[in-house]
Amino acid sequence: AQTVTQSQPEMSVQEAETVTLSCTYDTSESDYYLFWYKQPPSRQMILVIRQEAYKQQNATENRFSVNFQKAAKSFSLKISDSQLGDAAMYFCAYRSGTYGGSQGNLIFGKGTKLSVKP
Amino acid sequence: DSGVTQTPKHLITATGQRVTLRCSPRSGDLSVYWYQQSLDQGLQFLIHYYNGEERAKGNILERFSAQQFPDLHSELNLSSLELGDSALYFCASSVASGILGETQYFGPGTRLLVL
């Protein structure tokens, strides 16, 4: 079974600085997808970024980028120029790309609570 | 706004009761996934429906059931409620069955409190 581990329960960053959130996963599959979701105090789950395992290039979305290391099974999220609105829980998630596997549901890590200091 | 709607937003009920949570997926999305978020278990997958058919089950209790209707909205039924069922229940939708790795978009959730 696939597992996702976020080893940092809480992180803090100064406004305008850069922070990196860690995520590791365990799988025997070669085809899969990885996601970072943000959950602000409103509790809404918001997609931040996604990465296809078959792509070597790291995904980027504005101030958000990932460092995807397939061999190490690592998928970290870097937030540049942190803003107060980035304060939230961040969840790393795995999704099988193998049909007949987990049928497409997301497997989540426990989350990292990010605080942004003004 | 993800385009996924869930009702009600909040639900308070007593142990032993039965409730129904409703989800309307984004326009054009055929898949609906249900997840439960609790303090002790984190975010867990419950069940997946695609175009009216059940596709996969996760850690869903036998007291829980779901269905997806012809108009593609879905309902999650929780019966014989226990205190431990108190949680935030999310539905998410995606355009296809999941094999394409398409993104899931989450609704705002229904917060259930069992007293």
Side-chain angles (χ1 to χ4, degrees), chain B residues 13-17 19 63 78-83 85 112 114:
Chain B
T13 188
T15 54
Q17 295 299 303
V19 297
R63 301 183 285 108
L78 315 177
S79 62
S80 303
L81 285 167
E82 302 175 358
L83 296 178
D85 297 328
L112 173 66
V114 182

Side-chain angles (χ1 to χ4, degrees), chain A residues 33 35 37 39 42-47 50 91 95-100 102-110, chain B residues 2 33 35 37 40-41 43 45 48 55-56 88 90 94 97-104 106-108 111:
Chain A
Y33 304 84
F35 303 83
Y37 280 87
Q39 188 178 40
S42 67
R43 296 293 193 173
Q44 176 76 51
M45 293 289 288
I46 302 165
L47 177 69
R50 62 173 276 156
F91 291 95
R95 181 178 188 168
S96 172
T98 304
Y99 186 73
S102 61
Q103 298 288 352
N105 59 280
L106 294 167
I107 300 168
F108 289 91
K110 293 291 187 184
Chain B
S2 67
Y33 300 81
Y35 295 89
Q37 184 177 29
D40 53 345
Q41 298 292 330
L43 270 158
F45 165 67
H48 169 207
R55 276 301 181 99
L88 186 55
F90 286 108
S94 66
S97 63
I99 64 172
L100 302 178
E102 66 277 7
T103 296
Q104 294 181 21
F106 282 74
R111 184 177 293 279

